[in-house]
């Protein structure tokens, strides 16, 4: 064979190889129009839809057989679309099809906890089980679904002792693999479980799991589900700390687990989880996951799935994210979603640092190990303990492989918080011989501390105290310290405060919707856990315990989901928006000793940190007035966001004609957010409230933003009947002679009849046109 022919063959083979490798396949979600059937599809209806998906994709790929190979999810009940593995060119052609309403990549979300992630148990004051507010119901007629990492069914939090038959409205299943090798089961409490991993597998190969089932091998899903609807469990504690009776927000609710998160949570699995939950008949969905930034509603499985859930009268509660205190970091910002921030509770797990100069600093820990008493130990900063040629910034945060055992052995090591998991820093300290660890907050973490189950004696101190400890080390020839044993402290004053990690507003996707909506307990929360993972989540940690503490908006989210279940149980005829309004308008912005809520830097927090305020469960069941919304209102909102009639098919399933005029300022949300107010003009905002109590007369109280005048007409609302609606107009004008205006100003509008106080936060961003 001639050299030239060889070269030609090699070139041809190289061309074919490059063509093959360049045709990278990715997983996509293809969203279609409406279903032709009603709200309760039959098996034949679903099969018809799936076959139509094969036919549509087959027309592009060449055959229905190829389409069946490519499609790994057919959404065929309440959501119309499919997920498939496609080449980019194929995807571009499919997107042009007139029946394709939206098409987007199967992207990844994360869980919202704060170790390597950030994870929550009921720590909110629901009141005693005998409290007159809740005496009639602890949520026993409510079904709470949880999109997460699955569930550990053996946990006592899911015991069905004393439960009657499963509600007839339940249509779900208890999904197990063939032969049920991991012995997964459901009961009359945990009435359903499903798992969805195909989206993960499409992006990651095989799912990285121990069990291919709904069993929770991580712990996050068990923790969040038990927080929302776990049964009463006496003697719950973490290494003996915080001993008491654990329960979920709706302790008698039935619960269902939808495992959509494996090594990440992908759009395709999340959307499948939403459709299953809607079809199964849940009343509330708790969603403790999200992205690092908000996505356009039409390209987000959470946005699309939650809209369909709301359209089927399901309340969707979602975590706001753990990217705080960075501004505009809040996620899950859909107006139909109940978005939750995280705050502290009035219980601390305290461990003190005592320096050689007798100065004492309060920290937080759940370490079960203690230092021998009556002795101080050498103290060293991680930077001073670094290996040669290791960058100081890596050593300072105690990264693996950055520390010198010869410098650390037998000493208390001071590590800086950030980058890696808090408990992992303790693991690294232990590996190089440290006898204890002080975890000092970085500036962003402020003075909020978190109790973790460290593998050695350790405590987490705030930024100011950490700075003082570093100063002591740098100015002392032979610094020493002692870490005291952990104690549980109850009735802590000046709580709640906003967690430093809790994502902040303003809403980067739409500043006219104030987010977060609410804040709830999310720091050092005790709840049920898996026995397949250690409390520190570190492979080297062989401990296994039934309850742990976790922190994150993942933890605050199910607190609110549980409360939603209670309110819905008492008021089964209320819409999702009415329940959301009831919880928001009865929230408080004061601590347990009557001062304004602070953030972790001890500065006054704003609605960008807490939304309407901190939940007050006993008030939420009797709010007096509510701001109500329905599906048409949400569609009109999207019209105001410049969505076209065709784009609205993503949410509505069919064409929707937008009104000729719609003001986003008049969208009947339980907060008022003016994103760009012309300081030279007045702005009118309209709201409508519905009376859900007895006949009453409400008068308005106004807490004005400092530089603005706020007037309300009428100033008195008189209601003769339950269900009666009244409209009022709010006029906002810049005050004369105002000299200094910050970027944002905050205020509050309150309607009160002497018994109820219906609060509405006001946020104003001005523009000088």
């Amino acid at each position: 064979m001639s050299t030239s022919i060889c070269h030609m063959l090699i070139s041809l083979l190289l061309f074919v190889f490059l063509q093959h490798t360049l045709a990278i396949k990715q997983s996509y979600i293809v969203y279609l129009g409406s279903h032709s059937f009603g709200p309760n599809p039959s098996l034949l209806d679903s099969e018809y839809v799936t076959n139509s998906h094969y036919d549509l994709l087959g027309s592009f790929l060449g055959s229905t057989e190829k389409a069946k190979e490519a499609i790994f999810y057919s959404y065929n009940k309440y959501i119309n679309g499919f997920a498939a593995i496609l080449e980019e060119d194929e995807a571009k052609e499919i997107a042009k099809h007139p029946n394709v309403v939206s098409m987007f990549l199967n992207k990844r979300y994360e869980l919202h906890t704060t170790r390597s992630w950030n994870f929550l148990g009921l720590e909110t004051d629901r009141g005693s089980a005998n409290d007159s507010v809740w005496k009639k119901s602890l949520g026993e007629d409510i079904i709470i679904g949880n999109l997460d990492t699955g569930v550990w069914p053996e946990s006592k939090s899911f015991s069905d002792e004393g439960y009657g038959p499963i509600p007839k409205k339940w249509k779900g299943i208890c999904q197990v693999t063939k032969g049920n090798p991991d012995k997964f089961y459901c009961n009359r409490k945990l009435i359903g479980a499903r798992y969805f991993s195909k989206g993960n597998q499409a992006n990651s190969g095989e799912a990285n799991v121990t069990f291919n089932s709904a069993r929770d091998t991580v712990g996050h899903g068990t923790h969040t589900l038990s927080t929302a609807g776990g049964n009463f469990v006496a003697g719950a504690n973490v290494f003996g700390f915080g001993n008491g009776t654990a329960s979920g927000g709706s302790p008698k609710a039935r619960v269902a687990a939808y495992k959509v998160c494996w090594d990440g949570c992908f759009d395709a699995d999340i959307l499948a989880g939403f459709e299953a939950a809607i079809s199964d008949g849940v009343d509330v969905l708790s969603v403790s996951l999200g992205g690092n930034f908000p996505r356009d509603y039409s390209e987000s499985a959470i946005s699309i799935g939650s809209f369909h859930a709301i359209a089927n009268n399901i309340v969707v509660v979602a975590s706001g994210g753990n990217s705080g205190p960075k501004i505009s970091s809040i996620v899950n910002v859909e107006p139909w979603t109940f978005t939750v921030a995280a705050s502290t509770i009035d219980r601390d797990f305290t461990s003190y640092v005592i320096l050689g100069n007798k100065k004492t600093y309060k920290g937080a820990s759940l370490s079960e190990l203690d230092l021998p008493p009556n002795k101080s130990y050498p103290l060293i900063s991680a930077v001073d303990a670094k290996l040669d040629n290791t960058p100081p910034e890596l050593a300072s945060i105690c990264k693996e492989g950055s520390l010198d055992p010869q410098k650390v052995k037998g000493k208390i090591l001071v590590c800086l918080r950030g980058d890696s998991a808090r408990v992992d820093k303790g693991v690294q300290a232990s590996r190089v011989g440290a006898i204890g660890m002080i975890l000092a907050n970085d500036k962003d973490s402020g003075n909020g501390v978190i109790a973790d189950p460290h593998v050695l004696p350790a405590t987490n101190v705030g930024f100011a105290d950490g700075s003082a400890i570093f100063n002591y080390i740098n100015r002392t020839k032979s610094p020493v310290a002692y870490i005291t044993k952990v104690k549980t402290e109850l009735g802590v004053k000046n709580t709640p405060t906003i967690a430093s990690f809790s994502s902040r507003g303003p809403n980067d996707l739409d500043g006219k919707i104030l987010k977060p909506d609410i804040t709830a307990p999310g720091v050092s929360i005790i709840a049920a856990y898996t026995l397949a993972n250690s409390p520190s989540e570190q492979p080297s940690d062989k401990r296994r315990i039934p309850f742990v503490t976790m922190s994150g908006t993942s933890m605050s989210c199910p607190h609110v989901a549980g409360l939603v279940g209670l309110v819905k149980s008492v008021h089964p005829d209320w819409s999702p928006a009415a329940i959301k309004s009831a919880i928001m308008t009865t929230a408080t912005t004061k601590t347990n000793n009557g001062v304004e809520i602070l953030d972790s830097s001890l500065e006054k927090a704003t609605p960008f940190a807490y939304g309407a305020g901190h939940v007050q469960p006993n008030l939420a069941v009797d709010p007096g007035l509510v701001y109500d919304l329905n599906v048409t209102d949400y569609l009109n909102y999207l019209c105001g966001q410049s969505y076209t009639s065709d784009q609205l098919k993503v949410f509505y399933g069919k064409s929707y004609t937008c009104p000729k005029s719609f003001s986003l300022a008049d969208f009947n949300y339980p907060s008022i957010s003016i994103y760009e107010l012309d300081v030279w003009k007045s702005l009118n905002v309209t709201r409508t409230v519905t009376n859900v109590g007895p006949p009453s007369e409400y008068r308005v109280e106004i807490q004005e933003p400092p530089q603005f005048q706020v007037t309300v007409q009428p100033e008195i609302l008189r209601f003769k009947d339950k269900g009666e609606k009244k409209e009022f107009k709010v006029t906002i004008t810049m005050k004369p002679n105002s000299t200094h205006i910050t970027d944002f100003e905050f205020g509050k509008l309150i309607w009160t009849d002497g018994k109820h106080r219906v609060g509405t936060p006001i946020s104003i961003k001005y523009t000088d046109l």
Side-chain angles (χ1 to χ4, degrees):
M1 185 180 293
S2 68
T3 303
S4 60
I5 294 175
C6 285
H7 286 165
M8 288 176 64
L9 286 172
I10 292 171
S11 298
L12 180 60
L13 289 171
L14 181 61
F15 174 79
V16 172
F17 173 77
L18 288 174
Q19 286 293 98
H20 176 73
T21 55
L22 288 174
I24 298 173
K25 291 190 174 184
Q26 299 186 80
S27 53
Y28 293 84
I29 293 173
V30 181
Y31 193 86
L32 304 168
S34 63
H35 288 302
S36 57
F37 45 73
N40 296 304
S42 67
L43 182 60
L44 287 176
D45 290 331
S46 298
E47 287 179 353
Y48 173 82
V49 173
T50 296
N51 287 331
S52 72
H53 294 163
Y54 293 149
D55 289 341
L56 188 152
L57 185 58
S59 68
F60 289 92
L61 302 187
S63 69
T64 55
E65 286 71 24
K66 289 183 179 180
K68 289 178 180 179
E69 291 178 3
I71 292 176
F72 57 89
Y73 281 127
S74 173
Y75 308 112
N76 58 15
K77 296 180 178 67
Y78 292 84
I79 298 170
N80 188 6
F82 57 85
I85 299 174
L86 303 167
E87 293 179 4
E88 185 177 0
D89 288 344
E90 293 170 341
K92 287 180 179 179
E93 289 303 310
I94 294 166
K96 298 175 184 178
H97 192 279
N99 288 348
V100 174
V101 179
S102 177
M103 186 169 180
F104 53 95
L105 281 168
N106 174 32
K107 295 179 182 176
R108 176 178 176 142
Y109 292 86
E110 299 294 343
L111 299 166
H112 280 160
T113 56
T114 64
R115 293 184 186 170
S116 44
W117 303 318
N118 276 310
F119 306 171
L120 173 130
L122 184 76
E123 305 288 354
T124 174
D125 177 23
R126 184 187 61 247
S128 161
N130 294 319
D131 191 295
S132 60
V133 175
W134 306 116
K135 193 171 183 179
K136 294 181 180 179
S137 172
L138 290 171
E140 55 261 50
D141 52 347
I142 296 298
I143 301 172
I144 298 177
N146 192 42
L147 268 62
D148 214 301
T149 64
V151 63
W152 192 261
E154 292 85 359
S155 170
K156 290 182 179 180
S157 291
F158 307 116
S159 167
D160 66 353
E161 184 177 351
Y163 279 76
I166 293 171
K168 292 182 179 180
K169 66 181 179 180
W170 176 247
K171 302 174 185 176
I173 63 171
C174 188
Q175 184 182 6
V176 297
T177 52
K178 186 177 181 180
N180 196 14
D182 66 323
K183 303 297 188 290
F184 187 91
Y185 66 90
C186 299
N187 56 28
R188 290 168 299 174
K189 170 69 174 179
L190 175 63
I191 61 175
R194 298 178 187 262
Y195 59 92
F196 307 90
S197 62
K198 294 176 182 177
N200 182 291
Q201 292 170 327
N203 276 44
S204 313
E206 292 300 314
N208 181 20
V209 292
T210 305
F211 307 111
N212 189 23
S213 79
R215 183 173 290 281
D216 181 13
T217 60
V218 175
H220 189 273
T222 302
H223 202 276
T224 54
L225 185 55
S226 66
T227 297
N231 205 345
F232 294 102
V233 180
N237 63 80
V238 181
F239 303 128
F241 303 117
N243 188 61
T245 298
S247 75
S250 289
K252 290 301 179 182
R254 315 300 176 117
V255 296
Y258 298 88
K259 187 173 182 178
V260 299
C261 296
W262 306 78
D263 52 346
C265 323
F266 286 86
D267 275 304
D269 297 329
I270 293 168
L271 201 58
F274 267 109
E275 178 166 72
I278 296 168
S279 179
D280 289 349
V282 304
D283 298 296
V284 185
L285 261 177
S286 186
V287 184
S288 288
L289 54 96
N292 294 320
F293 55 86
R295 296 191 207 163
D296 186 271
Y297 304 136
S298 65
E299 297 182 355
S300 162
I302 294 178
S303 298
I304 295 170
S306 59
F307 190 96
H308 281 274
I310 292 294
N312 284 276
N313 207 37
I314 299 168
V315 184
V316 179
V317 186
S319 50
N322 297 334
S323 299
K326 181 182 177 183
I327 64 168
S328 294
S329 54
I330 191 75
V331 297
N332 294 329
V333 296
E334 304 84 3
W336 49 86
T337 299
F338 204 166
T339 311
V340 189
S343 41
T344 64
I345 59 176
D346 63 349
R347 182 199 61 210
D348 285 346
F349 298 112
T350 302
S351 174
Y352 291 87
V353 175
I354 304 173
L355 299 181
N357 61 6
K358 307 303 181 184
K359 294 290 181 66
T360 301
Y361 302 99
K362 182 179 177 179
S365 180
L366 276 170
S367 174
E368 60 179 329
L369 300 175
D370 303 325
L371 289 175
N374 306 316
K375 180 182 178 182
S376 292
Y377 296 86
L379 184 66
I380 187 170
S381 73
V383 171
D384 293 336
K386 76 181 186 70
L387 285 166
D388 293 342
N389 301 319
T390 296
E393 57 271 18
L394 289 183
S396 68
I397 55 176
C398 294
K399 290 287 284 187
E400 182 178 3
S402 66
L403 302 170
D404 188 338
Q406 293 184 352
K407 297 176 182 177
V408 176
K409 187 175 181 180
K411 298 177 182 178
I412 294 175
L413 181 68
V414 186
C415 299
L416 190 65
R417 184 172 165 182
D419 189 64
S420 57
R422 299 183 301 274
V423 287
D424 180 64
K425 298 176 191 294
V427 170
Q428 303 311 320
S430 179
R431 284 177 178 170
V432 294
I435 195 170
M437 179 187 71
I438 299 170
L439 178 59
N441 279 359
D442 57 359
K443 187 175 182 179
D444 282 347
S445 299
N447 295 303
V449 293
I450 296 176
D452 289 311
H454 294 287
V455 297
L456 78 173
T459 193
N460 175 208
V461 298
F463 175 68
D465 291 347
S467 298
I469 293 170
F470 282 123
N471 286 337
Y472 167 73
I473 292 172
N474 293 334
R475 296 176 181 178
T476 306
K477 185 177 181 180
S478 300
V480 294
Y482 182 74
I483 301 172
T484 68
K485 64 191 306 183
V486 178
K487 290 185 178 181
T488 304
E489 292 186 5
L490 303 176
V492 177
K493 295 300 181 183
N494 292 319
T495 56
T497 60
I498 303 300
S500 60
F501 58 75
S502 186
S503 291
R504 306 304 208 264
N507 178 350
D508 205 32
L509 199 60
D510 179 12
K512 294 177 286 298
I513 298 294
L514 178 63
K515 291 284 181 171
D517 293 308
I518 201 82
T519 189
V523 177
S524 299
I525 303 302
I526 295 177
Y529 197 57
T530 179
L531 295 185
N533 199 4
S534 70
S536 65
E537 301 177 66
Q538 301 299 307
S540 60
D541 185 357
K542 304 306 179 185
R543 298 174 297 175
R544 297 294 185 269
I545 54 177
F547 288 86
V548 297
T549 63
M550 289 184 173
S551 298
T553 55
S554 276
M555 285 55 261
S556 54
C557 167
H559 271 96
V560 175
L563 174 55
V564 166
L566 287 179
V567 176
K568 190 174 181 69
S569 183
V570 176
H571 300 289
D573 58 329
W574 283 9
S575 70
I579 293 173
K580 178 178 175 179
S581 172
I583 295 172
M584 288 177 65
T585 58
T586 56
T588 181
T589 60
K590 299 293 182 65
T591 67
N592 56 5
N593 56 332
V595 300
E596 293 293 325
I597 292 175
L598 304 179
D599 62 25
S600 59
S601 64
L602 303 183
E603 296 179 353
K604 182 180 175 181
T606 74
F608 289 158
Y610 54 63
H614 196 272
V615 290
Q616 297 194 101
N618 282 339
L619 298 182
V621 74
D622 181 23
L625 306 175
V626 296
Y627 297 87
D628 208 356
L629 290 162
N630 57 34
V631 171
T632 300
D633 294 314
Y634 293 125
L635 290 171
N636 289 341
Y637 163 82
L638 292 171
C639 289
Q641 291 290 98
S642 300
Y643 277 65
T644 65
S645 179
D646 284 342
Q647 288 174 318
L648 290 177
K649 289 181 183 177
V650 175
F651 305 97
Y652 195 49
K654 56 187 177 183
S655 295
Y656 178 78
T657 303
C658 291
K660 292 182 179 179
S661 62
F662 177 78
S663 170
L664 288 173
D666 296 335
F667 182 62
N668 204 41
Y669 209 68
S671 59
I672 297 173
S673 182
I674 311 301
Y675 201 61
E676 288 189 344
L677 176 66
D678 183 350
V679 297
W680 305 111
K681 297 178 182 178
S682 295
L683 179 69
N684 293 325
V685 175
T686 301
R687 290 288 188 273
T688 300
V689 287
T690 303
N691 181 35
V692 293
S696 296
E697 180 179 283
Y698 284 83
R699 295 177 181 270
V700 71
E701 294 179 7
I702 302 170
Q703 298 171 8
E704 293 183 327
Q707 304 296 334
F708 292 90
Q709 181 179 0
V710 178
T711 60
V712 175
Q713 289 295 327
E715 296 180 347
I716 300 174
L717 298 177
R718 294 182 176 89
F719 295 92
K720 296 180 180 179
D721 300 303
K722 190 174 183 178
E724 186 178 358
K725 298 179 183 292
K726 294 284 185 181
E727 184 179 282
F728 63 91
K729 182 174 71 174
V730 182
T731 302
I732 300 171
T733 311
M734 184 176 175
K735 290 179 180 178
N737 303 319
S738 293
T739 56
H740 174 72
I741 303 176
T742 59
D743 284 347
F744 292 93
E745 301 256 343
F746 304 99
K748 194 171 186 178
L749 184 155
I750 302 166
W751 288 105
T752 180
D753 63 353
K755 176 185 177 182
H756 306 94
R757 292 182 64 81
V758 186
T760 306
I762 300 172
S763 167
I764 302 173
K765 182 181 187 294
Y766 85 101
T767 180
D768 190 0
L769 298 178

